[in-house]
Amino acid sequence: MQSLDMAATDLREVNATLQAQAAQTNQTEWVIENPRGSHAVAVGLDAPIHVTVKGSTGYYCAGMNAQATVHVQGSVGPGVAENMMSGEVIIDGDASQYAGATGHGGLLNIKGNASSRCGISMKGIDIVVHGNIGHMSAFMAQKGNLVVLGDAGDALGDSLYEARLFVRGSVKSLGADCIEKEMRPEHLEILADLLTRAGADATPEEFRRYGSARKLYNFNIDHIDEY
Amino acid sequence: MCGIVGLFLKNDEMRPQLGAMLTDMLITMTDRGPDSAGIAIYGTGGDGVKITVQSDDPATDFDGLDAALTDALGSIGLRIADTHAILTLPADKRDAAINLLKARGLRIMGVGEAMEIYKETGLPRDVAARFNLRDMGGSHGIGHTRMATESAVTTLGAHPFSTADDQCLVHNGSLSNHNQMRRRLARKGVVTQTENDTEVGAAYISSRIAEGATLGEALEGTLEDLDGFFTFVTGTRNGFGVVRDPIACKPAVMAETGDYVAFASEYRAFADLPGIDTAKVWEPEPATVYFWER
Amino acid sequence: MDKTPQTEPRQSWTFSREVNAEIRRAAATGIYDIRGGGAKRRVPHFDDLLFLGASMSRYPLEGYREKCDTSVTLGTRFAKKPIELKIPITIAGMSFGALSGQAKEALGRGATMAGTSTTTGDGGMTEEERGHSEKLVYQYLPSRYGMNLHDLRRADAIEIVVGQGAKPGGGGMLLGQKITERVAGMRDLPQGIDQRSACRHPDWTGPDDLEIKILELREITGWQVPIYIKVGGARPYYDTALAVKAGADVVVLDGMQGGTAATQDVFIEHVGQPTLACIRPAVQALQDLGMHREVQLVVSGGIRSGADVAKALALGADAVAIGTAALVALGDNDPKWEAEYQALGTTHGAYDDWHEGRDPAGITTQHPELGARLDPVAAGRRLRNYLNVMTLECQTLARACGKSHVLNLEPEDLCALTMEAAAMAKVPLAGTDWYPGKPGF
């Protein structure tokens, strides 16, 4: 177990140390102490290491993460795990806006609530939120799965592409071109796997699925009210 | 484009620490606004009216000010803090004092029973030190660090903006119809002093309250009448209110414990607050008005 | 019997044939006109400026003998590895998707031979361009199509795109015809659908947030490579000042003549300021912050010749970027395809339906047969030649003004032919020492 104390070590050194682990992965367990809301903590990691962050972080924690597991024992600011490629990011507390924005892969597991625009433009990432999500979540979401155990805010899935949205609680409103869809066996299977991997206490049958109506995929003057 | 902080104490025993707590929060927001900083702090009140004035040449302008005011208005209280001076005087002398101060070329930063306003250009740390903000006590306060967008980096362009007694406003974002609103307010006789969009927001709220709206109604009105991206925090004699535009892209986070309610642009600003680890922390919803009053 | 004299049939200036044709097109289709390229209307431009040259009071340098340096370094403020260019002309961001793979390869080949950089676009980084570009600037766009850690670390610089001259305030657009399997795969989208990419970034809004985004990108790339910020010519003074405050190494400023692969014609023609009008306010912002030549300014939008380059530098730019001109050098709108342009209802020089993917020159297309028409080696050589000519022209003008480095050109080396250009460039109207708005008059 290696420890990096941000009360004594500057951000550059913390990130440089973790980023350098790609070549020498024998040290796989890392702890970051005293993050105190700092931005860009544990970004750009590209090795199968496990980083525990003891406290809350600011913007873009675990940004562009690949391979690594980053576990934040606190809450995170905007853009956690933005553009994540692979690996896993676990948040014990809440996440601010843009959680998992444009993420390509891996699992973002938020134990608390996520704020607005959770999963915006997601491109293949899987996101599981144990609490609620805010407005405009999954805006222009392209690929991947967003699972919400609680409620969703306004305009869920606005201008959605092919991402799958699963919500257990209520949805305040659906965005343009987002509709409820039939839950088929393959969806229950995906959901069951994600719930297990995220350690979520829920069964797939409790969820509803939302997806793109695909009416805005090509311009059609009859849909002008949606623009 | 900026950083905002706000702190409203529920626990009166913490009042002496208000300035210290707000100052730390303000300094943490330096990266979001290195151009200027300001704070509005609400004390106990009850001693009459307080007028905060500012001068770019305090050595000259404040020299003999005490005597001149006493001659004209009778006994007054005067405290000088760097470029600012805070006058305390009976409520019935308010208008006469303001006219006299303006005639001497001083800038009125704010007027109220409880509110004092301190703002200057420069780094938040330096601004706080100049006014000794750390030593100030009070019931609540709001602060701001500014990264100027389209209007000038000047003392008057710094936040908070006060456009009515005991009312002030700080803002993060950019209004897109403020010129139109400024003209609308001017037709009603509400005069703004700067080109700053935030002052228009402040003047809008004051004007609605002057017309009889409650603080809550005035804040609701911003959602209808102001366009663009904004997070407003507004201070009043009794408390403070928060509102975000319906798109709500500009960051905002709040924390509440049994002792206080805190607001900031980023969680970092809360890191040193007592009991933050067990506080309720959340983000204000878009197009939703929040306020806390005692 | 004499005929009664009649008035000539007279076309309305307001309702010209062109205007009426657009009304009929809109009425028939119900959709705004979408096209590629930049503003086609005439706006005050570098042509309205002239160099004074040397005479009795200034001494020129000998061509070919006395050295006139053209090298430029971009990103000296924070980056450990700034971009060193042999010439002050770079290739602007253009996407794979909008352009064929062959065209991207040709841009890389030409730019590399000339000693300059090329730039990715809204579609990620391709092997064609990374492999053939010695210096490659990786665009960081609102869509983040194809954005990934691996490519970010292969980039020589990162350009955060806030806006573009053809459409300040608008997002990207790539219509279904061009979304082939490869393009769709790179963008994680279904084939054949229209793509309207976002106009704002998904995870930050405003310069205070952008400062934190830049911190993140620098932390990911170890503070090695420069971070550029690209803005459209909207409010150049404030945009430049805020880019500097947010922490940029380089500001890229794209005027309204700057091209796009596809957007609404109304956007291209009616939003933004001419390139000429953008430079002085941007330079003023840099000077006011003490950052002129510390944070470099790259100007683009309608740069066509070495004269344009020299004038942009004289007004205070550190380098220029070319897009449309580079495509023309590769072979875009070449008269040799006239029969095919006619078949598409247009003519060479006017072809701008780049979004349809039917480009006879094989440049703005994803069609394999059309794309194969462009030989990347030959096209790359043409671009190299063109870049060299522009550089020689720029040097010629700089030497005539007595400069041993092109960056020593100054506004005082220029005069203006029109009041408009004088006002926008803040250089005196020819024959006077006055320009509109000059203080002290």
Side-chain angles (χ1 to χ4, degrees):
Chain A
M1 178 86 73
Q2 308 285 315
S3 180
L4 295 162
D5 184 355
M6 292 192 72
T9 315
D10 70 20
L11 179 70
R12 182 78 287 266
E13 197 178 329
V14 169
N15 281 325
T17 306
L18 295 174
Q19 288 163 1
Q21 298 309 309
Q24 34 173 351
T25 52
N26 55 334
Q27 294 171 335
T28 56
E29 294 293 321
W30 292 83
V31 172
I32 295 177
E33 311 263 8
N34 294 308
R36 296 162 58 85
S38 299
H39 304 316
V41 173
V43 296
L45 307 188
D46 193 6
I49 58 174
H50 192 289
V51 180
T52 302
V53 183
K54 290 193 171 292
S56 293
T57 65
Y59 283 53
Y60 309 130
C61 179
M64 285 200 155
N65 184 60
Q67 301 189 68
T69 298
V70 178
H71 181 176
V72 181
Q73 294 177 340
S75 288
V76 291
V80 63
E82 66 86 17
N83 215 85
M84 175 152 73
M85 308 305 301
S86 61
E88 185 173 357
V89 175
I90 305 148
I91 313 302
D92 287 350
D94 296 333
S96 182
Q97 334 185 62
Y98 329 127
T102 76
H104 288 256
L107 174 66
L108 171 59
N109 187 0
I110 299 167
K111 300 287 179 68
N113 301 311
S115 168
S116 64
R117 298 181 176 80
C118 178
I120 183 172
S121 281
M122 54 193 275
K123 298 174 186 352
I125 189 175
D126 291 320
I127 304 176
V128 178
V129 181
H130 295 241
N132 306 323
I133 57 171
H135 70 286
M136 290 298 274
S137 286
F139 176 57
M140 292 178 89
Q142 297 173 212
K143 247 165 91 174
N145 301 291
L146 171 63
V147 180
V148 183
L149 276 69
D151 302 331
D154 268 320
L156 176 70
D158 195 287
S159 308
L160 190 66
Y161 294 102
E162 294 295 298
R164 300 184 200 91
L165 316 180
F166 302 98
V167 182
R168 184 167 71 163
S170 66
V171 173
K172 202 167 172 196
S173 67
L174 293 173
D177 212 29
C178 181
I179 53 169
E180 185 172 352
K181 292 190 160 183
E182 180 198 3
M183 184 80 86
R184 294 196 297 269
E186 69 261 35
H187 303 123
L188 291 171
E189 203 175 309
I190 291 168
L191 198 44
D193 172 58
L194 284 169
L195 290 169
T196 308
R197 282 165 57 205
D201 182 20
T203 54
E205 290 75 15
E206 298 172 80
F207 289 77
R208 290 166 174 238
R209 179 169 78 98
Y210 304 89
S212 177
R214 305 189 178 98
K215 283 198 304 192
L216 300 182
Y217 274 15
N218 292 96
F219 184 85
N220 181 335
I221 188 62
D222 297 327
H223 300 146
I224 195 150
D225 291 344
E226 306 284 352
Y227 289 98
Chain B
M1 294 297 132
C2 313
I4 304 177
V5 299
L7 190 59
F8 173 86
L9 298 179
K10 299 188 203 171
N11 176 355
D12 289 345
E13 285 174 21
M14 294 175 87
R15 285 184 174 211
Q17 285 105 56
L18 180 76
M21 290 161 80
L22 263 177
T23 301
D24 286 336
M25 292 171 77
L26 194 72
I27 291 171
T28 313
M29 290 296 98
T30 299
D31 291 346
R32 299 192 74 86
D35 293 335
S36 63
I39 198 165
I41 197 152
Y42 290 81
T44 335
D47 311 328
V49 168
K50 289 198 265 192
I51 303 174
T52 311
V53 295
Q54 186 267 357
S55 162
D56 287 340
D57 184 12
T60 312
D61 289 346
F62 294 162
D63 187 33
L65 180 63
D66 199 357
L69 289 168
T70 311
D71 276 359
L73 304 168
S75 172
I76 57 142
L78 178 72
R79 182 160 50 86
I80 291 170
D82 197 69
T83 55
H84 287 40
I86 298 87
L87 282 67
T88 311
L89 67 170
D92 60 354
K93 300 278 171 57
R94 176 191 182 283
D95 296 347
I98 288 175
N99 289 337
L100 203 144
L101 292 163
K102 279 186 179 164
R104 290 177 72 93
L106 295 168
R107 293 180 184 137
I108 312 289
M109 308 301 268
V111 181
E113 281 180 46
M115 181 185 73
E116 295 169 20
I117 288 189
Y118 302 89
K119 57 185 188 182
E120 272 301 348
T121 56
L123 288 173
R125 183 188 53 233
D126 301 336
V127 173
R130 284 168 73 173
F131 299 120
N132 237 339
L133 294 182
R134 214 172 264 289
D135 291 342
M136 293 180 190
S139 56
H140 58 291
I142 61 179
H144 187 267
T145 64
R146 177 165 188 243
M147 185 187 278
T149 47
E150 290 185 12
S151 49
V153 179
T154 59
T155 306
L156 274 185
H159 303 210
F161 282 95
S162 177
T163 46
D165 284 17
D166 278 324
Q167 289 172 27
C168 69
L169 181 96
V170 293
H171 165 217
N172 181 19
S174 175
L175 301 182
S176 61
N177 68 340
H178 63 101
N179 294 307
Q180 197 175 304
M181 179 56 71
R182 182 182 287 110
R183 288 187 282 268
R184 234 173 85 186
L185 290 168
R187 280 199 298 277
K188 292 200 226 171
V190 179
V191 183
T192 49
Q193 297 181 52
T194 69
E195 293 299 303
N196 194 295
D197 56 343
T198 305
E199 189 184 8
V200 174
Y204 170 83
I205 291 169
S206 300
S207 128
R208 287 291 306 270
I209 290 174
E211 288 164 5
T214 62
L215 172 64
E217 287 163 350
L219 290 174
E220 289 280 354
T222 63
L223 297 167
E224 194 63 37
D225 292 328
L226 297 177
D227 203 356
F229 290 34
F230 56 87
T231 298
F232 288 139
V233 177
T234 178
T236 67
R237 171 102 171 73
N238 302 322
F240 79 120
V242 172
V243 66
R244 298 171 86 189
D245 70 86
I247 293 174
C249 274
K250 298 310 296 176
V253 59
M254 305 206 58
E256 185 167 10
T257 70
D259 290 336
Y260 59 81
V261 179
F263 175 95
S265 297
E266 296 174 22
Y267 174 84
R268 283 194 295 162
F270 298 157
D272 286 326
L273 291 180
I276 189 65
D277 291 340
T278 53
K280 178 190 168 202
V281 177
W282 78 102
E283 294 190 3
E285 292 285 320
T288 306
V289 171
Y290 297 78
F291 54 91
W292 284 265
E293 286 184 326
R294 61 183 67 249
Chain C
M1 209 173 85
D2 287 344
K3 265 178 81 178
T4 311
Q6 296 201 323
T7 54
E8 283 277 313
R10 184 178 172 194
Q11 297 289 342
S12 166
W13 182 84
T14 306
F15 289 93
S16 64
R17 287 180 170 182
E18 209 175 66
V19 167
N20 291 348
E22 171 53 20
I23 293 173
R24 281 189 287 272
R25 195 206 56 76
T29 63
I31 185 174
Y32 35 53
D33 184 30
I34 293 171
R35 68 171 177 88
K40 290 189 170 186
R41 63 160 76 214
R42 194 209 184 289
V43 294
H45 199 30
F46 295 115
D47 286 342
D48 303 321
L49 301 181
L50 298 173
F51 279 104
L52 300 177
S55 54
M56 289 287 278
S57 62
R58 299 279 182 103
Y59 316 120
L61 300 185
E62 291 284 3
Y64 302 110
R65 299 195 187 89
E66 286 163 346
K67 199 170 153 41
C68 177
D69 195 347
T70 60
S71 64
V72 179
T73 306
L74 303 179
T76 51
R77 186 185 186 191
F78 291 121
K80 286 185 190 136
K81 292 180 186 161
I83 298 260
E84 288 176 12
L85 303 175
K86 277 169 65 183
I87 61 174
I89 310 159
T90 67
I91 306 299
M94 288 176 274
S95 73
F96 169 74
L99 300 189
S100 64
Q102 290 90 340
K104 288 300 285 179
E105 178 182 336
L107 290 173
R109 286 176 178 274
T112 300
M113 284 188 280
T116 192
S117 61
T118 180
T119 312
T120 68
D122 201 353
M125 188 185 284
T126 64
E127 291 309 321
E128 285 97 328
E129 64 186 337
R130 178 63 281 188
H132 293 285
S133 304
E134 194 194 324
K135 295 187 176 70
L136 181 60
V137 183
Y138 189 26
Q139 282 196 332
Y140 193 77
L141 291 129
S143 70
R144 312 275 164 86
Y145 292 138
M147 173 53 54
N148 69 77
L149 184 60
H150 177 63
D151 287 340
L152 193 73
R153 289 195 170 133
R154 294 203 291 170
D156 299 298
I158 298 163
E159 180 170 297
I160 301 175
V161 180
V162 176
Q164 136 180 31
K167 46 182 176 186
M173 201 179 253
L174 191 62
L175 299 190
Q177 300 97 311
K178 289 171 82 170
I179 312 294
T180 60
E181 194 181 346
R182 183 177 175 204
V183 173
M186 283 181 70
R187 299 180 181 213
D188 300 293
L189 282 169
Q191 243 178 285
I193 70 167
D194 296 347
Q195 290 179 11
R196 290 179 187 77
S197 13
C199 64
R200 293 199 313 271
H201 279 259
D203 57 357
W204 62 269
T205 311
D208 43 12
D209 285 352
L210 174 56
E211 181 175 7
I212 306 170
K213 174 50 75 176
I214 290 176
L215 171 72
E216 184 206 8
L217 292 173
R218 290 201 194 275
E219 281 295 319
I220 291 174
T221 52
W223 294 75
Q224 299 287 314
V225 301
I227 308 266
Y228 302 5
I229 295 179
K230 179 175 181 175
V231 292
R235 294 174 180 80
Y237 182 88
Y238 298 120
D239 291 344
T240 303
L242 289 167
V244 171
K245 286 185 193 176
D249 291 305
V250 174
V251 178
V252 180
L253 180 59
D254 192 23
M256 76 177 285
Q257 299 105 301
T260 174
T263 203
Q264 298 92 334
D265 177 80
V266 70
F267 222 138
I268 300 176
E269 294 290 353
H270 298 276
V271 185
Q273 300 204 54
T275 305
L276 181 67
C278 290
I279 303 178
R280 291 305 294 268
V283 172
Q284 187 66 51
L286 293 169
Q287 286 168 343
D288 288 351
L289 293 166
M291 284 290 173
H292 190 220
R293 306 286 189 223
E294 303 290 323
V295 169
Q296 287 78 29
L297 177 68
V298 179
V299 167
S300 57
I303 303 283
R304 307 149 301 174
S305 65
D308 289 351
V309 178
K311 290 168 188 174
L313 300 184
L315 293 178
D318 292 271
V320 301
I322 57 167
T324 306
L327 297 187
V328 174
L330 298 188
D332 177 63
N333 267 297
D334 194 309
K336 76 178 176 186
W337 307 109
E338 181 60 17
E340 295 190 38
Y341 290 126
Q342 292 283 339
L344 292 169
T346 183
T347 183
H348 70 86
Y351 175 69
D352 58 15
D353 286 327
W354 296 348
H355 57 289
E356 291 178 351
R358 295 189 287 174
D359 185 356
I363 294 171
T364 59
T365 183
Q366 293 301 316
H367 195 286
E369 280 169 35
L370 292 173
R373 289 180 178 185
L374 188 78
D375 173 359
V377 177
R381 210 175 296 127
R382 286 196 293 275
L383 177 61
R384 189 265 325 256
N385 291 344
Y386 170 60
L387 288 167
N388 286 351
V389 168
M390 282 206 287
T391 306
L392 287 168
E393 287 175 343
C394 179
Q395 278 176 307
T396 300
L397 295 171
R399 282 197 183 95
C401 296
K403 318 288 180 180
S404 61
H405 196 297
V406 291
L407 287 181
N408 291 335
L409 287 162
E410 306 168 307
E412 288 76 6
D413 293 314
L414 294 165
C415 68
L417 285 172
T418 65
M419 296 279 270
E420 288 85 354
M424 291 179 188
K426 293 190 171 59
V427 304
L429 190 64
T432 77
D433 56 0
W434 174 84
Y435 57 82
K438 183 176 181 181
F441 277 81

